[in-house]
Amino acid sequence: MSIQEVGRNGKSSKEQIQEYPGRKREERTKKFQDSLMQNLKYQEQTQEQDNREKAGNGARRIGHDSKAGRLGTSGIRVNALVGWETVQATEVRHMSYEESDNIEIAVTEGYTLKGKLEGRCVYVEAKYDDGRLEAYQVDTDRVQEQTQHRIEKFAVETVAGMADFERTDGK
Amino acid sequence: MKLFLSLVRIMGRGDKMEQEFARELRWNNLAAEYQTMLYRVAFANMHNRADAEDAVQEAFLRYMKDEKPIANKEHEKAWLIRTTIHICMDMLKSSWRRRTVPLTDSLQAQTQEVYLPYQLKDDRTLEAVLKLPVHYRNPIYLFYYEDYSIQEIAGVLNEKEGTIKTRLRRGREEVRKILTERRPQDL
């Protein structure tokens, strides 16, 4: 009679080894299914949220993550309430200083603003010293007179500056 | 120009004269395109017009002498800015300069010599930037006043992007310190 190595559950170690990969695969499959279900749930939730936002006022909310990057964050140090419909994120065009109608260089705040009047809107490009580059489209007709929001204020200044320029025929 | 070139050919002076003419034309275009911007960069380092002009001239001379084939316009621009800054640094380090006291006006008067392509709302900030140590001054000047991106500045100054970001942040704090210091005339 030969001696055989037996495990705790009475099975030989060879049998255990053969069983092990299958059991592991089963566990992994279960985990994968769980995470897939979680992801699907999350996707459904975010889609629902997006649909609700779209169905709302149609304007993108400042302060949310968007395709154009974070907006109204620490770069522009204002804590005022933002008019949701006046400032909208847009694609960055890499406008030069020469092309801009108005420029603001705020070294101590760590940003520069460039503005160009386009019809009744102002295209504003903001560059921050942490490397972010963001662009906004500001509807100046909807901006409140006493606004404290830096982008809105800058857009209003751009419109006023251009009106002055036209009044004096660029002299 | 075409007429001139064909005349040269007819006269039998050959390709050499044609090449000379084309080279001169290229240099003129190069100078017209970059000299103002390079002057501003040099001024930010030298703080006076004459020295800034000397530095720019020297940079152009080195470019012409080298005649290196530069891949594209952006590289050409970066090369010229980098060389101008190096020339300025050499000039500032020269023993002659260290032994002399320049006859210059106040920094406020000097900043008016910088011909920016736009109007500044606040000259005091530019004055403060020009007072910064060189490792803060150049990144800040290029980022805010020449509208360079961090990536471009890193390329021009041969530094990492992270280094430029740090210098921008620390330089900004220095500018704030300079601006909040009480000037003797304000007392």
Side-chain angles (χ1 to χ4, degrees):
Chain A
M1 204 174 111
S2 64
I3 300 165
Q4 201 181 357
E5 237 179 87
V6 177
R8 258 183 287 174
N9 48 8
K11 286 175 185 171
S12 72
S13 56
K14 257 187 185 175
E15 281 172 325
Q16 271 183 336
I17 291 164
Q18 274 173 353
E19 260 180 31
Y20 184 75
R23 204 167 57 210
K24 191 85 177 168
R25 204 178 301 135
E26 203 176 295
E27 274 171 21
R28 260 190 234 145
T29 317
K30 199 171 178 297
K31 271 185 188 170
F32 173 75
Q33 277 175 347
D34 286 348
S35 81
L36 184 72
M37 287 308 288
Q38 270 181 353
N39 279 339
L40 283 171
K41 266 185 197 171
Y42 177 75
Q43 260 187 6
E44 272 172 21
Q45 276 174 358
T46 47
Q47 207 166 358
E48 260 177 46
Q49 210 175 336
D50 279 357
N51 289 343
R52 245 181 282 142
E53 270 178 24
K54 272 180 199 168
N57 53 15
R60 205 177 290 158
R61 216 179 120 185
I62 305 294
H64 268 204
D65 278 7
S66 69
K67 276 179 190 169
R70 286 171 296 142
L71 299 173
T73 46
S74 58
I76 305 281
R77 289 161 183 82
V78 282
N79 51 7
L81 281 172
V82 177
W84 307 126
E85 292 172 24
T86 51
V87 183
Q88 284 190 334
T90 185
E91 205 179 320
V92 178
R93 290 185 222 155
H94 300 278
M95 183 168 70
S96 68
Y97 278 163
E98 283 84 356
E99 289 170 274
S100 316
D101 294 329
N102 190 17
I103 296 162
E104 184 177 318
I105 297 173
V107 179
T108 50
E109 295 295 317
Y111 69 86
T112 65
L113 295 177
K114 290 175 273 183
K116 189 166 183 63
L117 185 63
E118 289 169 345
R120 58 182 208 136
C121 285
V122 176
Y123 169 77
V124 180
E125 216 170 88
K127 183 174 79 167
Y128 305 100
D129 69 355
D130 59 6
R132 276 182 297 136
L133 194 61
E134 292 171 1
Y136 317 97
Q137 200 80 39
V138 185
D139 187 348
T140 46
D141 286 350
R142 288 175 171 181
V143 175
Q144 289 174 352
E145 270 181 41
Q146 300 300 318
T147 181
Q148 287 302 306
H149 187 248
R150 196 52 245 150
I151 302 287
E152 289 183 350
K153 252 182 160 179
F154 177 74
V156 171
E157 281 168 19
T158 307
V159 175
M162 286 311 285
D164 280 349
F165 184 77
E166 275 167 23
R167 212 176 300 129
T168 54
D169 288 333
K171 282 169 196 168
Chain B
M1 190 180 82
K2 272 183 185 172
L3 182 70
F4 176 78
L5 289 176
S6 49
L7 271 173
V8 168
R9 265 188 226 113
I10 292 162
M11 283 164 75
R13 299 255 176 110
D15 291 340
K16 206 179 172 189
M17 201 165 172
E18 200 178 314
Q19 274 175 5
E20 280 280 306
F21 183 75
R23 205 165 61 168
E24 200 172 309
L25 195 75
R26 198 174 139 255
W27 287 346
N28 283 341
N29 289 342
L30 195 79
E33 197 171 349
Y34 298 124
Q35 69 176 2
T36 331
M37 184 269 297
L38 289 178
Y39 168 73
R40 292 196 300 262
V41 172
F43 188 90
N45 286 288
M46 302 308 294
H47 295 180
N48 77 71
R49 188 180 178 161
D51 287 342
E53 282 173 353
D54 282 352
V56 175
Q57 270 196 23
E58 180 63 26
F60 277 126
L61 280 173
R62 282 191 196 177
Y63 186 83
M64 290 165 190
K65 231 177 172 180
D66 272 12
E67 288 264 348
K68 287 182 220 157
I70 290 180
N72 59 46
K73 271 210 146 335
E74 278 312 303
H75 282 123
E76 188 175 68
K77 195 175 170 184
W79 189 94
L80 283 165
I81 294 176
R82 190 165 46 238
T83 309
T84 306
I85 291 172
H86 286 163
I87 291 166
C88 291
M89 294 302 104
D90 289 345
M91 282 167 86
L92 289 169
K93 274 190 281 184
S94 74
S95 56
W96 178 82
R97 199 179 167 87
R98 275 185 279 146
R99 274 187 273 116
T100 54
V101 180
L103 279 170
T104 50
D105 300 325
S106 70
L107 201 56
Q108 194 180 3
Q110 288 167 39
T111 50
Q112 310 205 340
E113 299 270 338
V114 183
Y115 307 111
L116 291 167
Y118 47 87
Q119 213 169 3
L120 284 176
K121 285 174 191 160
D122 179 17
D123 283 345
R124 274 191 65 216
T125 312
L126 179 59
E127 276 174 56
V129 170
L130 296 186
K131 282 180 190 167
L132 288 172
V134 68
H135 54 283
Y136 293 143
R137 192 197 308 145
N138 283 318
I140 290 229
Y141 181 77
L142 291 172
F143 184 82
Y144 292 98
Y145 296 96
E146 294 296 335
D147 198 22
Y148 266 56
S149 68
I150 289 173
Q151 201 185 0
E152 285 170 323
I153 299 170
V156 166
L157 301 178
N158 269 342
E159 298 281 1
K160 286 179 185 164
E161 283 182 37
T163 312
I164 301 298
K165 279 184 196 174
T166 310
R167 287 184 186 174
L168 286 176
R169 198 188 63 243
R170 288 188 187 157
R172 164 155 63 92
E173 284 157 16
E174 290 296 315
V175 170
R176 199 178 285 162
K177 267 187 214 165
I178 294 170
L179 288 173
T180 48
E181 267 172 19
R182 293 183 79 186
R183 291 178 300 178
Q185 61 263 36
D186 295 338
L187 293 171

